Amino acid sequence: MSNEPIAIESVLATFTDLWSPRILTRINDYDVRVAKVAGEFVWHTHDDTDEFFLVLDGELRIGVRDEHGERHVTLPRGSVFVVPRGIEHKPSSVDGATIMVVEPTGTPSTGDRHDALPEHITTTTGRRVA
Amino acid sequence: MSNEPIAIESVLATFTDLWSPRILTRINDYDVRVAKVAGEFVWHTHDDTDEFFLVLDGELRIGVRDEHGERHVTLPRGSVFVVPRGIEHKPSSVDGATIMVVEPTGTPSTGDRHDALPEHITTTTGRRVA
């Protein structure tokens, strides 16, 4: 990993594919990933880790299913949200968004359990920045 | 901790003191902290953890002392940098900056080792948002 500052925009300029996080940098055994998203992801659950979202641009919606039933939260640009471990959730964005995610290195994007994957979604643990 | 989205701006609006991080949220046993900074912090070292910086506004400078000697990196708004564990460093900002920091819960702002603290700096592990 680079030991120089990284301009997030310069990394975002290197790709256009959706729901395919790039690993910006690492903190101990955690990844800081950035992704471009639009449309719907898939319901999934990380059994052993929380997942942190920061919206860098656009607006993200996250469906959440917990003991109170199903709800969703809306994250405008400049807001953060943590999905607790074990909570089924589904990110989506009608008009597209750019997000930063922090989670342990190796965490699969579709969790430990997920619904059937639609064609536009591939499970990944993040790609290294070229 | 809240299980609702948090607008970073709304937390920044609750304080004006410098070099005094607020804990925005937690990811497992990590804090996401935000701080307002200006002027010089103190040379310090975290022996057991990396420290992640994201510049939300303004420009941050981080002095770094490693095996190659002393240098500094400059982080404009929208850039990130990780100070590796064990590396002596000193954040500063001539014109002021707003930063996000990710590090393990309980990490003291002045590290495990630091130079004499000037009057404007207090060691903290971050304050909870009111």
Side-chain angles (χ1 to χ4, degrees):
Chain A
M1 290 280 155
S2 163
N3 197 23
E4 295 298 326
I6 301 166
I8 297 173
E9 283 297 339
S10 73
V11 172
L12 293 174
T14 65
F15 68 98
T16 57
D17 48 334
L18 301 174
W19 304 112
S20 181
R22 263 58 175 183
I23 300 168
L24 197 60
T25 188
R26 288 197 168 131
I27 320 159
N28 301 322
D29 51 354
Y30 278 67
D31 284 353
V32 179
R33 304 178 187 172
V34 290
K36 297 179 178 180
V37 304
E40 305 217 333
F41 200 59
V42 65
W43 284 103
H44 68 283
T45 309
H46 302 284
D47 289 327
D48 301 317
T49 183
D50 302 339
E51 189 169 42
F52 168 83
F53 294 87
L54 163 63
V55 177
L56 298 170
D57 203 11
E59 183 175 278
L60 184 70
R61 175 174 158 144
I62 305 181
V64 175
R65 291 175 178 158
D66 60 19
E67 71 275 21
H68 306 299
E70 185 171 319
R71 66 181 180 119
H72 70 268
V73 294
T74 301
L75 285 76
R77 176 180 180 149
S79 60
V80 305
F81 184 68
V82 172
V83 176
R85 66 182 67 195
I87 296 295
E88 195 177 13
H89 59 285
K90 178 185 181 174
S92 65
S93 177
V94 173
D95 295 318
T98 304
I99 62 177
M100 174 182 287
V101 177
V102 180
E103 59 199 337
T105 298
T107 300
S109 58
T110 54
D112 302 295
R113 294 175 282 127
H114 57 74
D115 281 359
L117 296 186
E119 201 164 295
H120 70 285
I121 296 176
T122 305
T123 295
T124 171
T125 55
R127 297 189 195 177
R128 292 213 172 221
V129 175
Chain B
M1 291 280 155
S2 165
N3 197 23
E4 295 299 324
I6 301 166
I8 296 172
E9 283 297 339
S10 72
V11 173
L12 294 173
T14 66
F15 68 98
T16 57
D17 48 334
L18 302 174
W19 304 111
S20 181
R22 263 57 175 184
I23 301 168
L24 197 60
T25 189
R26 288 197 167 131
I27 320 160
N28 302 323
D29 51 354
Y30 279 67
D31 285 352
V32 179
R33 303 178 187 172
V34 289
K36 296 178 178 182
V37 305
E40 304 217 335
F41 200 60
V42 64
W43 284 103
H44 68 284
T45 308
H46 302 283
D47 288 328
D48 302 315
T49 183
D50 303 340
E51 189 170 42
F52 169 83
F53 293 87
L54 163 63
V55 177
L56 297 170
D57 202 12
E59 184 175 278
L60 184 71
R61 175 175 159 144
I62 304 180
V64 174
R65 290 175 177 158
D66 60 18
E67 71 275 20
H68 306 299
E70 185 173 318
R71 66 181 179 117
H72 70 268
V73 295
T74 301
L75 284 76
R77 176 182 179 147
S79 60
V80 305
F81 185 67
V82 172
V83 176
R85 64 182 68 194
I87 296 296
E88 196 178 12
H89 60 285
K90 178 185 180 175
S92 64
S93 176
V94 173
D95 295 317
T98 303
I99 62 176
M100 174 182 288
V101 177
V102 180
E103 59 200 336
T105 299
T107 301
S109 58
T110 56
D112 302 295
R113 293 175 284 128
H114 57 75
D115 280 0
L117 295 186
E119 202 164 296
H120 71 285
I121 296 176
T122 305
T123 295
T124 172
T125 54
R127 297 190 194 175
R128 291 212 173 222
V129 174

